[in-house]
């Protein structure tokens, strides 16, 4: 941990930090795509995920205002503004979206799923000790943004795949 305390490799805090690291790596793969319009915003988020890792590696005490790097409400607000901006011109969904579409869209859906896992890991950590509540909100809003971004790159390329309930059933 950031305070020098040693934890087992299977400690829930280590799981949470690892899931955030895996999410950041997934974003790195997306950035290899040549034509994604949200490249600059995604790079900002990669840096913020390191902030989140720093936040998670330090015990949280809500009664102190230590010098630890923590996720702050303004970072959550910025994600919400991005969601509104990118969602503004998307068609209204009439069905669930299947993960896939084009390569960038599929990778964003995978990153969204990793983000949801990271969120579940942080919830599990919160059940054992206090955490910065903004870290959970950040992950929740980020997964929503990744969904919107997946839609953006798939809609632009006419590659969005919608769920058709019971499509393979014969009756």
């Amino acid at each position: 941990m950031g305070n020098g305390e040693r934890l087992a490799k299977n400690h829930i805090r280590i799981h949470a930090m690892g899931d955030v690291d895996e999410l950041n790596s997934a974003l790195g793969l997306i950035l290899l795509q040549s034509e994604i319009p949200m490249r600059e915003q995604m790079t900002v988020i990669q840096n913020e995920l390191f902030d989140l890792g720093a936040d998670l590696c330090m015990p949280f005490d809500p009664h102190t205002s230590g010098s630890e790097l923590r996720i702050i409400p303004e970072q959550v607000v910025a994600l919400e503004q991005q969601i509104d901006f990118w969602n503004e011109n998307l068609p209204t969904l009439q069905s669930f979206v299947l993960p896939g579409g084009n390569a960038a869209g599929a990778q964003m859906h995978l990153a969204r799923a990793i983000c949801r896992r990271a969120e579940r890991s942080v919830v599990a950590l919160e059940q054992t000790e206090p955490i910065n509540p903004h870290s959970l909100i950040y992950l929740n809003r980020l997964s929503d943004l990744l969904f919107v971004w997946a839609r953006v790159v798939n809609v632009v390329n006419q590659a969005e795949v919608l769920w058709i309930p019971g499509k393979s059933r014969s009756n």
Side-chain angles (χ1 to χ4, degrees):
M1 285 186 21
N3 65 355
E5 182 183 340
R6 295 188 53 81
L7 297 175
K9 289 279 187 182
N10 65 344
H11 190 280
I12 188 60
R13 182 180 298 276
I14 303 301
H15 278 281
M17 291 166 41
D19 289 342
V20 169
D21 184 39
E22 184 179 350
L23 170 58
N24 209 341
S25 297
L27 296 182
L29 283 174
I30 296 167
L31 286 168
L32 295 176
Q33 300 293 323
S34 60
E35 296 297 324
I36 59 165
M38 59 286 297
R39 179 176 306 282
E40 183 178 329
Q41 295 88 351
M42 195 171 290
T43 302
V44 169
I45 287 169
Q46 279 197 297
N47 281 283
E48 290 178 345
L49 287 173
F50 266 82
D51 292 352
L52 177 57
D55 189 331
L56 291 172
C57 85
M58 291 297 292
F60 181 74
D61 182 351
H63 305 295
T64 63
S65 58
S67 60
E68 296 91 4
L69 183 57
R70 301 284 183 200
I71 294 295
I72 59 174
E74 291 79 8
Q75 290 170 301
V76 173
V77 168
L79 291 178
E80 291 170 343
Q81 290 169 341
Q82 287 292 314
I83 292 167
D84 292 343
F85 173 81
W86 291 101
N87 202 34
E88 187 174 319
N89 295 316
L90 288 175
T92 303
L93 277 175
Q94 304 298 322
S95 176
F96 288 106
V97 175
L98 295 179
N102 62 21
Q107 289 175 340
M108 285 184 195
H109 280 295
L110 179 59
R112 175 193 49 78
I114 295 168
C115 189
R116 288 287 190 205
R117 179 168 19 98
E119 182 182 9
R120 291 189 302 271
S121 293
V122 174
V123 165
L125 176 60
E126 181 186 42
Q127 292 172 346
T128 64
E129 55 192 275
I131 62 154
N132 174 7
H134 303 297
S135 61
L136 266 178
I137 299 167
Y138 183 89
L139 285 169
N140 180 271
R141 303 315 295 147
L142 178 55
S143 66
D144 289 345
L145 178 58
L146 289 166
F147 175 78
V148 169
W149 280 349
R151 289 202 66 215
V152 167
V153 298
N154 282 332
V155 166
V156 165
N157 294 296
Q158 299 178 348
E160 187 166 60
V161 182
L162 299 179
W163 174 50
I164 302 169
K167 180 179 181 180
S168 64
R169 295 170 52 167
S170 60
N171 54 358

